[in-house]
Amino acid sequence: MMEEVTEKYFKYEQIPIEIKEEMKEKVSRSPFRQSFHVEAPSGYLNDPNGFSFYNGKIHLFYQWTPFKYSEANIWYQGWHHLVSEDLICWESLGPGVEPDTDYETHGSYSGSGLSVDGELLLFYTGNTRNELSQRIPYQIIATLDTEGKITKRDFPEITGVPDGYTDHFRDPKIWQTDTGDFYALIGIQRQNKTGAALMVHSSNTYNWEILSEVKTNLIEFGYMWECPDYFELEGQGIFIFSPQGLTPEGPNYQNIYQTGYLIGDKLSKDNLYLNEKSSFKELDQGFDFYAPQSTQLPDGRRIVIGWMGLPESVYPTENFGYCGCLTMPRELTLVDGDLIQKPIEEIKNYRKNQKEFSQADLSSGIETEAAFELMIQTNNSSNSDFVLDLCCNKEYTEYTRIEYISDKKELWLDRKFSGTPFATEFGTRRLLAEDLGEEIHLDIFIDTSSIEIFIDHGKTVASSRIFPTTDSRHVFFVGKEETLCKIDYWNIDVKENRYAVN
């Protein structure tokens, strides 16, 4: 029996309309579509790319394989392009970077964006394989002009791989310093199968020089570092990356792959040693978080957005022709040596039907919409256990549980009974925070198929997918009287069409 040959497409417009219609119809049957999170119109969404401010708007791209779940055996992989004025409502501009040159025949991989001289510069990895199926990566620059046209430079900025490394060389994150110099970090794997990040430099975005690895105090920390990001806050250098291959250590590193950060000295061509002051800290304690990317807005805020998913995990939405969503955008600040993540202020503009509840109300159960925010302040002076169950059905057989264990002062998330099970091989419980005080502040955002928990004003954040099997949504609380001192509820109402593709 002959193996079916995959038909490859390098421009979205070339793909037959009937295949696009097939995917559109398949996705339309999903009960799990989000209302205020970015999802792909069809297919596979993963890393956020090109996150930047340009020409009066916020631009965001993401890795996109739109026909991965099609009945047809076809291939197309590039970037999808979105724009927004407030980070909540996004307009789809359709395909962005496409795999239409000889330097990206096997995919336009992840990269970043930066406004330079009236254009949006996009620096990304082109993936290719030769006749022996050996990977040859290229680091490519394209530019987006004010008319929305993307133009690629004739030749890659960096071809192949430096000596001493494997062909896993990808995901450049570019920035510009006050001196006008341009830098980028690119994830790479050493020949000994350990991860690192190379720093490259240019004075004008051409003729890039590979400086060296960013030096940290980490030794053999995973086999690959993906999606590096670098920026500066409060005079400190912040290095975020997603290492693969870490072994679980107690409650840490429980997901298949991790994302975290180091804080140290500023990086430059004259200083490649981060000299971090503390150990690697995970950026998110939930089940589903990876490959975040940040940008600075004109008002000075540093905003980060991540992929609320993980490679190699299988999600229930795949049965409906799509997979993956992005997290809520979050504002980053540096406080006492830790990155604090808070929901962006703009989300408040979409709060509707505000209600204040008592603990007795939650103990009896309240009914909610599919998309809502629940803000809770505890006053647990008796230090007693409590349970908060979200997205419950009427029978109380399905729920997503937040549990406080008083003798250990720990807060846990449990999605064992959240609905359609998935990725259970990685466990169904996560320790979110420990050594908590009497007063615990929770800001919880629920969408149709996700939960994001901001603990103690963003000191800890947990992002997870959940897939309730019913439209019935309730919240219940079980705990000692007067544990909760303030409970605020809002519907989150975002009405716009983020799924249309031009």
Side-chain angles (χ1 to χ4, degrees):
M1 182 177 178
M2 293 184 62
E3 183 178 351
E4 185 181 2
V5 177
T6 300
E7 188 170 0
K8 300 185 75 170
Y9 290 90
F10 304 101
K11 299 288 283 187
Y12 185 85
E13 63 185 17
Q14 298 169 344
I15 298 169
I17 187 66
E18 58 267 23
I19 296 176
K20 297 175 182 177
E21 290 298 320
E22 169 216 334
M23 296 308 303
K24 182 178 180 181
E25 192 279 330
K26 194 171 185 178
V27 171
S28 70
R29 300 198 301 265
S30 173
F32 302 125
R33 290 299 262 178
Q34 301 273 62
S35 65
F36 64 97
H37 289 80
V38 170
E39 294 178 298
S42 70
Y44 193 72
L45 167 158
N46 50 304
D47 309 356
N49 291 164
F51 191 25
S52 50
F53 185 87
Y54 168 68
N55 196 30
K57 290 188 176 183
I58 302 158
H59 291 253
L60 175 65
F61 302 78
Y62 56 77
Q63 285 284 290
W64 188 37
T65 310
F67 303 103
K68 181 174 181 177
Y69 308 106
S70 171
E71 296 295 328
N73 188 20
I74 68 171
W75 175 92
Y76 170 93
Q77 190 275 324
W79 293 16
H80 190 99
H81 188 188
L82 305 169
V83 293
S84 177
E85 295 182 353
D86 69 355
L87 292 159
I88 304 296
C89 283
W90 295 92
E91 176 189 357
S92 169
L93 300 184
V97 174
E98 299 197 88
D100 56 0
T101 73
D102 291 340
Y103 305 113
E104 51 204 306
T105 56
H106 288 68
S108 307
Y109 278 15
S110 285
S112 53
L114 182 69
S115 179
V116 179
D117 296 332
E119 295 179 316
L120 179 59
L121 185 147
L122 303 171
F123 197 6
Y124 68 98
T125 300
N127 184 45
T128 70
R129 289 186 181 273
N130 62 19
E131 62 277 3
L132 300 177
S133 197
Q134 297 168 326
R135 181 188 288 111
I136 302 174
Y138 296 92
Q139 312 308 322
I140 299 169
I141 283 183
T143 54
L144 175 77
D145 65 22
T146 57
E147 301 300 318
K149 181 181 178 181
I150 292 178
T151 303
K152 298 179 182 180
R153 293 183 181 173
D154 292 336
F155 300 101
E157 306 307 309
I158 303 173
T159 295
V161 181
D163 291 341
Y165 300 93
T166 75
D167 57 10
H168 291 282
F169 183 35
R170 55 184 174 266
D171 313 336
K173 177 61 191 296
I174 187 173
W175 73 95
Q176 186 177 20
T177 66
D178 293 339
T179 63
D181 289 284
F182 295 90
Y183 293 93
L185 290 184
I186 310 177
I188 200 164
Q189 183 185 65
R190 304 183 186 103
Q191 286 286 2
N192 68 356
K193 302 299 190 292
T194 58
L198 288 186
M199 190 163 170
V200 300
H201 168 263
S202 171
S203 61
N204 57 7
T205 77
Y206 292 86
N207 303 314
W208 290 85
E209 176 191 5
I210 297 175
L211 298 175
S212 183
E213 291 181 14
V214 172
K215 296 176 176 61
T216 73
N217 298 325
L218 300 173
I219 300 174
E220 297 189 358
F221 194 69
Y223 61 75
M224 176 63 189
W225 292 3
E226 289 198 312
C227 303
D229 195 350
Y230 174 82
F231 53 91
E232 294 166 1
L233 290 174
E234 306 296 332
Q236 299 287 297
I238 317 294
F239 176 30
I240 297 176
F241 61 104
S242 296
Q244 297 181 330
L246 300 186
T247 302
E249 297 179 3
N252 300 321
Y253 315 150
Q254 293 297 308
N255 294 335
I256 183 172
Y257 303 127
Q258 278 64 51
T259 294
Y261 66 93
L262 299 170
I263 300 175
D265 295 339
K266 294 181 181 180
L267 298 178
S268 71
K269 59 186 177 183
D270 300 317
N271 177 48
L272 296 174
Y273 178 33
L274 190 67
N275 190 27
E276 64 267 28
K277 308 302 188 294
S278 59
S279 60
F280 177 84
K281 297 179 182 179
E282 291 185 79
L283 194 59
D284 192 287
Q285 300 298 321
F287 292 89
D288 302 283
F289 185 86
Y290 196 69
Q293 189 167 103
S294 76
T295 193
Q296 186 175 44
L297 298 185
D299 60 13
R301 289 182 296 165
R302 173 64 57 170
I303 306 297
V304 68
I305 190 166
W307 170 25
M308 203 177 342
L310 282 166
E312 300 173 40
S313 291
V314 178
Y315 291 85
T317 58
E318 295 182 37
N319 295 323
F320 300 96
Y322 73 102
C323 181
C325 80
L326 301 183
T327 65
M328 291 175 56
R330 303 157 185 185
E331 180 180 358
L332 293 176
T333 55
L334 186 60
V335 178
D336 297 330
D338 290 318
L339 276 183
I340 303 300
Q341 303 174 73
K342 293 185 178 181
I344 56 171
E345 285 292 313
E346 288 84 348
I347 193 66
K348 294 178 181 179
N349 297 328
Y350 297 92
R351 289 171 168 174
K352 306 291 182 184
N353 304 319
Q354 193 268 343
K355 299 177 183 177
E356 294 184 8
F357 291 110
S358 66
Q359 180 173 319
D361 293 329
L362 265 64
S363 297
S364 300
I366 62 170
E367 189 168 2
T368 72
E369 297 293 328
F372 66 91
E373 178 185 0
L374 186 66
M375 189 179 293
I376 294 176
Q377 179 72 53
T378 74
N379 184 16
N380 196 12
S381 56
S382 61
N383 194 34
S384 57
D385 295 357
F386 66 79
V387 165
L388 180 67
D389 286 331
L390 303 135
C391 303
C392 307
N393 60 5
K394 291 181 179 179
E395 296 76 24
Y396 215 150
T397 57
E398 188 172 291
Y399 50 82
T400 297
R401 174 164 290 180
I402 297 174
E403 181 179 11
Y404 177 72
I405 300 176
S406 58
D407 60 343
K408 297 182 179 179
K409 297 184 178 180
E410 293 177 345
L411 195 70
W412 289 77
L413 174 64
D414 191 331
R415 66 177 184 185
K416 182 177 182 180
F417 299 104
S418 290
T420 303
F422 69 102
T424 55
E425 64 269 29
F426 302 110
T428 59
R429 284 170 59 84
R430 286 287 184 273
L431 175 63
L432 305 186
E434 51 190 339
D435 297 324
L436 294 167
E438 293 179 1
E439 296 184 359
I440 304 171
H441 186 274
L442 301 176
D443 197 0
I444 303 165
F445 290 84
I446 299 285
D447 206 340
T448 307
S449 55
S450 67
I451 177 171
E452 289 167 278
I453 308 167
F454 296 79
I455 303 167
D456 286 344
H457 306 284
K459 291 181 180 179
T460 303
V461 181
S463 307
S464 300
R465 298 303 304 271
I466 55 174
F467 297 93
T469 61
T470 173
D471 291 334
S472 178
R473 301 289 185 103
H474 296 78
V475 174
F476 288 93
F477 176 83
V478 179
K480 191 173 181 180
E481 290 185 10
E482 300 181 354
T483 298
L484 308 183
C485 61
K486 186 171 177 56
I487 305 163
D488 290 297
Y489 170 93
W490 299 267
N491 295 335
I492 301 296
D493 188 5
V494 179
K495 291 185 173 66
E496 46 75 43
N497 184 3
R498 75 185 73 214
Y499 307 122
V501 181
N502 294 340

